[in-house]
Amino acid sequence: MKVCVFGASGYVGSSIYKLLKEDSAIDVTGTYLEDPAMFDDLNKLDINEPESFSEFYKQQEPDVVVWSVMSGPDEDELIQEGLQHIITHLTPQTKLVYVSTDFVFTEGKGPYAEDDPTSRMPDDHPLSTYANAKVKAEHFINRELLNYTILRAGPIYGENEIGQLDERTEKLLVPLRLKNTVAYRDDLVRTFVHVTDLAQAVIEFVKNDLTGTYHAGPDKSQSYYAFMVQMAEALGYHGDSVEQASEYEEVDKAIPKNTSLMTDKITNAIKQTFR
Ligand SMILES: NC(=O)c1ccc[n+]([C@@H]2O[C@H](COP(=O)([O-])OP(=O)(O)OC[C@H]3O[C@@H](n4cnc5c(N)ncnc54)[C@H](OP(=O)(O)O)[C@@H]3O)[C@@H](O)[C@H]2O)c1
């Protein structure tokens, strides 16, 4: 089976790529954008560039394509250009495994099931470019494809397969190392998912014939505050270095409160467990 991982040099993509490399039944290729690449054998490719994308894709002709690409402020271009390039090149036999987000539920009234309606953020919200592009991506995939899995994930954490920590944990470590306290909100509730569990779930969907939308993660949700207390302790620091932040900061007021995900569908569908 030939698999192509787009975004194979990223936090999640590195884990997916490395685990696929270790599987002798899979012939895996991957792409990166900015040097240095996390693996020597990745292909440098801007998926927004139609000609180089087309040339690369025709050389590969994969059986499965994994989307682990993200570009924050340029997310809309990535979906309008890069994802469209993939969609127009896929044959009906080629499966797309698309890593999506809990931020498609911008009303923040979770927990959400897979078939709950998604919604857009107001355009003036700082997170709207990313969230609304992911909503658009899911819409394109649903409209244009049959052979796909959309895997939605909440905040992804933990050390990936090449020893990198997620940005949120890196940020938590700064005050902890300086013996300072740090505050997180107790009213923002998420389904946090470990990067290795997610990568392994992606690989199960690479290998199986299941299609449709699934929520990846454990069956528990936590606030940022509760999660970060737990992370601090897991990293060997006192949990009381983490404090509760104010829920009423003007700047944060439009952040969706509860985007937690119901995960029984994936638990019943695949063998992967989520810590
Ligand atoms: N991190 C989270 O908490 C989280 C939560 C929910 C869902 N997700 C989803 O998980 C997936 C992976 O996210 P991540 O956290 O691993 O992000 P990441 O570390 O930023 O990786 C994204 C990768 O996308 C690549 N990329 C960006 N623009 C590109 C372009 N024009 N052409 C080709 N490649 C491009 C970058 O390549 P280079 O590094 O080589 O430049 C980067 O490695 C995304 O679909 C994201 O929406 C993430």
Side-chain angles (χ1 to χ4, degrees), residues 170-199:
E170 289 285 7
K171 216 168 151 190
L172 167 71
L173 276 166
V174 175
L176 293 182
R177 284 180 178 136
L178 294 169
K179 299 195 185 339
N180 290 338
T181 57
V182 56
Y184 289 92
R185 282 171 63 173
D186 201 27
D187 61 330
L188 302 182
V189 177
R190 305 288 183 257
T191 298
F192 295 86
V193 58
H194 193 279
V195 62
T196 302
D197 298 342
L198 176 64

Side-chain angles (χ1 to χ4, degrees), residues 205-264:
F205 284 100
V206 163
K207 293 183 185 176
N208 68 30
D209 292 330
L210 296 174
T211 56
T213 300
Y214 292 83
H215 290 171
D219 63 2
K220 66 166 189 274
S221 57
Q222 284 174 291
S223 70
Y224 266 103
Y225 165 68
F227 178 77
M228 291 302 182
V229 169
Q230 197 182 301
M231 282 301 279
E233 287 171 351
L235 293 162
Y237 295 87
H238 282 296
D240 55 14
S241 309
V242 178
E243 298 177 341
Q244 273 188 40
S246 160
E247 298 176 9
Y248 303 105
E249 287 166 38
E250 203 49 33
V251 64
D252 285 344
K253 87 175 173 211
I255 294 184
K257 294 263 168 150
N258 184 342
T259 58
S260 63
L261 302 171
M262 293 179 196
T263 55
D264 24 325

Side-chain angles (χ1 to χ4, degrees), residues 6-14 16 31-38 42 45-49 67-72 74-75 78 82 98-103 130 134 151-157 164 166-168 193 195 198:
F6 290 97
S9 204
Y11 169 60
V12 178
S14 294
I16 299 169
T31 74
Y32 75 105
L33 182 62
E34 300 290 343
D35 289 291
M38 292 299 147
L42 296 183
L45 176 78
D46 183 345
I47 63 169
N48 293 338
E49 290 293 324
W67 175 280
S68 190
V69 185
M70 181 161 84
S71 186
D74 300 323
E75 194 72 21
L78 208 51
Y98 178 85
V99 183
S100 192
T101 173
D102 60 343
F103 257 45
Y130 175 70
K134 295 299 263 191
L151 260 187
R152 293 192 189 124
I156 304 166
Y157 74 93
Q164 293 172 327
D166 58 290
E167 277 180 16
R168 295 179 193 90
V193 58
V195 62
L198 176 64

Side-chain angles (χ1 to χ4, degrees), residues 1-238:
M1 176 188 276
K2 214 168 168 191
V3 182
C4 182
V5 181
F6 290 97
S9 204
Y11 169 60
V12 178
S14 294
S15 280
I16 299 169
Y17 187 74
K18 181 137 189 292
L19 292 171
L20 285 170
K21 284 284 266 191
E22 289 164 5
D23 190 329
S24 57
I26 290 177
D27 176 9
V28 59
T29 52
T31 74
Y32 75 105
L33 182 62
E34 300 290 343
D35 289 291
M38 292 299 147
F39 304 91
D40 292 340
D41 54 359
L42 296 183
N43 301 275
K44 191 173 174 72
L45 176 78
D46 183 345
I47 63 169
N48 293 338
E49 290 293 324
E51 275 129 40
S52 38
F53 177 85
S54 198
E55 194 185 326
F56 171 75
Y57 195 88
K58 284 174 187 157
Q59 281 164 9
Q60 302 300 324
E61 294 197 340
D63 302 300
V64 183
V65 167
V66 177
W67 175 280
S68 190
V69 185
M70 181 161 84
S71 186
D74 300 323
E75 194 72 21
D76 193 59
E77 188 190 357
L78 208 51
I79 301 309
Q80 296 276 19
E81 302 295 330
L83 181 64
Q84 284 294 357
H85 296 152
I86 291 180
I87 288 175
T88 51
H89 282 74
L90 289 175
T91 65
Q93 292 73 38
T94 315
K95 184 175 184 180
L96 171 67
V97 180
Y98 178 85
V99 183
S100 192
T101 173
D102 60 343
F103 257 45
V104 295
F105 296 119
T106 56
E107 288 183 1
K109 295 178 180 163
Y112 288 100
E114 281 79 353
D115 52 6
D116 283 333
T118 60
S119 54
R120 289 171 50 85
M121 265 188 180
D123 286 335
D124 59 353
H125 191 282
L127 299 171
S128 67
T129 309
Y130 175 70
N132 293 346
K134 295 299 263 191
V135 171
K136 192 186 282 179
E138 290 197 6
H139 174 70
F140 285 162
I141 293 168
N142 277 304
R143 193 184 61 192
E144 307 287 341
L145 302 176
L146 292 172
N147 194 4
Y148 70 85
T149 303
I150 292 173
L151 260 187
R152 293 192 189 124
I156 304 166
Y157 74 93
E159 190 174 304
N160 71 4
E161 305 308 304
I162 57 166
Q164 293 172 327
L165 279 174
D166 58 290
E167 277 180 16
R168 295 179 193 90
T169 307
E170 289 285 7
K171 216 168 151 190
L172 167 71
L173 276 166
V174 175
L176 293 182
R177 284 180 178 136
L178 294 169
K179 299 195 185 339
N180 290 338
T181 57
V182 56
Y184 289 92
R185 282 171 63 173
D186 201 27
D187 61 330
L188 302 182
V189 177
R190 305 288 183 257
T191 298
F192 295 86
V193 58
H194 193 279
V195 62
T196 302
D197 298 342
L198 176 64
Q200 283 170 341
V202 167
I203 291 165
E204 281 215 39
F205 284 100
V206 163
K207 293 183 185 176
N208 68 30
D209 292 330
L210 296 174
T211 56
T213 300
Y214 292 83
H215 290 171
D219 63 2
K220 66 166 189 274
S221 57
Q222 284 174 291
S223 70
Y224 266 103
Y225 165 68
F227 178 77
M228 291 302 182
V229 169
Q230 197 182 301
M231 282 301 279
E233 287 171 351
L235 293 162
Y237 295 87
H238 282 296

